[in-house]
Amino acid sequence: MADTTASARSTATARPLRHHLHRAVGTEHNPLVRPLDRARSRALLLAVLGLALAAVAGAGVSLAGLASGQHTAALTAAHRHRVDATLLSPSRQVAGLSGYSRVRFQAAATWAAPSGRTATGQVDVDRPMPSGAVSRVWVDDDGRPTPVPPTAADVVMDSVFLGLAVLAALAVLIGTGLCIRLRRLDHRADRRWQLSWARFEPVWSGRTAQ
């Protein structure tokens, strides 16, 4: 019985959406269609509508994130400056940032802060460099080393990932809700089938009902 129900549900799911629409609103001319079949079609149509709205929501979140990211990036870039730093020692290999395995190099250096004063400290360089070499580094308004400001590509990628994350989360919720609804309808169909079988099987088989 479970295999039969699963096969029927797969067939119903594979129907074109217009068939489900006719069935859901009761305009399908099929005397064999049961209220449970209409309920399945309504559940599928609601899931499709939910996915469409989730896509719109994901796009909206992505666009909002893009606008916010561009604004933040512009403010950040206004307070970050690229200056020439002269290495006071050869660069040495250090561990990756925050546990990442990416190899990076660091060295003591001196540079001119935006205010004009001379600053010294440890700076990151992208390759092994000798003492006295000059490397371009990013600093803030106070002359302290700071990460590279986000690029336009970084902002776009972040906004796209944010929109996809929202879409994926909503899709999981919609899919879970659809599966729960269809499973409940299947259980209801099983119970009704068993009751009908217990009622009519003795008549068909000619034996006395127990």
Side-chain angles (χ1 to χ4, degrees):
M1 181 56 197
D3 292 341
T4 303
T5 302
S7 176
R9 191 176 70 180
S10 298
T11 301
T13 306
R15 287 176 176 271
L17 288 178
R18 61 185 179 87
H19 288 170
H20 286 294
L21 179 60
H22 286 303
R23 175 169 292 183
V25 300
T27 57
E28 183 180 21
H29 302 296
N30 186 348
L32 299 179
V33 173
R34 304 164 299 173
L36 280 171
D37 298 323
R38 294 192 182 95
R40 285 195 183 95
S41 292
R42 286 194 294 270
L44 289 170
L45 288 174
L46 286 175
V48 171
L49 177 60
L51 288 175
L53 293 176
V56 173
V61 169
S62 182
L63 290 175
L66 178 61
S68 176
Q70 288 174 335
H71 178 68
T72 301
L75 291 178
T76 301
H79 297 283
R80 294 188 182 179
H81 315 274
R82 203 168 189 188
V83 299
D84 291 330
T86 302
L87 272 57
L88 300 176
S89 63
S91 61
R92 66 184 188 284
Q93 181 177 325
V94 295
L97 287 171
S98 302
Y100 288 101
S101 59
R102 178 176 58 87
V103 175
R104 67 187 182 97
F105 300 89
Q106 197 173 73
T110 182
W111 62 91
S115 62
R117 70 178 181 84
T118 300
T120 58
Q122 296 289 324
V123 297
D124 291 328
V125 295
D126 56 4
R127 63 184 186 279
M129 299 180 72
S131 177
V134 176
S135 176
R136 299 278 286 173
V137 298
W138 287 94
V139 298
D140 60 18
D141 291 336
D142 295 327
R144 293 171 298 191
T146 188
V148 178
T151 64
D154 294 332
V155 173
V156 171
M157 291 299 295
D158 288 344
S159 63
V160 169
F161 285 143
L162 180 60
L164 290 176
V166 171
L167 174 59
L170 293 176
V172 169
L173 290 176
I174 293 169
T176 301
L178 177 62
C179 290
I180 292 174
R181 177 59 175 165
L182 293 180
R183 185 177 295 274
R184 288 180 176 175
L185 291 174
D186 287 343
H187 289 167
R188 189 182 304 174
D190 286 341
R191 288 196 300 269
R192 292 186 179 181
W193 185 91
Q194 292 169 2
L195 291 173
S196 297
W197 180 259
R199 179 180 178 184
F200 294 108
E201 188 272 337
V203 179
W204 295 336
S205 64
R207 67 179 179 85
T208 302
Q210 300 296 325

